[in-house]
Amino acid sequence: MAAHRRPTLQDPVALAEIDLTGELMIAAAAASEERLSTDRIDELLRVEAARDARPDAAGGEPAAPGA
């Protein structure tokens, strides 16, 4: 009698998070400095510069540069 197998399920969001975590771990292991800079982490996580243009958490205007 053949064993019943469950169908393989994949969660694309979880797989993307695992991939990005792996990239962070590889970059951290290869880095010469003790910690990765925020800019390097943003680059690895593919964070867009547009996040700086969003209003602050209080719902006001975007933060002024250097604020």
Side-chain angles (χ1 to χ4, degrees):
M1 173 180 251
H4 293 287
R5 292 180 48 172
R6 292 176 143 182
T8 302
L9 301 177
Q10 291 186 356
D11 181 345
V13 174
L15 293 173
E17 288 177 0
I18 291 166
D19 185 47
L20 291 172
T21 301
E23 289 181 30
L24 281 172
M25 292 170 54
I26 291 167
S32 59
E33 61 272 2
E34 184 175 324
R35 295 180 180 205
L36 294 176
S37 69
T38 304
D39 290 336
R40 181 65 177 133
I41 292 170
D42 287 350
E43 178 185 333
L44 290 164
L45 297 178
R46 301 175 191 109
V47 175
E48 296 180 16
R51 70 182 166 89
D52 294 332
R54 288 188 287 184
D56 63 14
E61 295 297 318

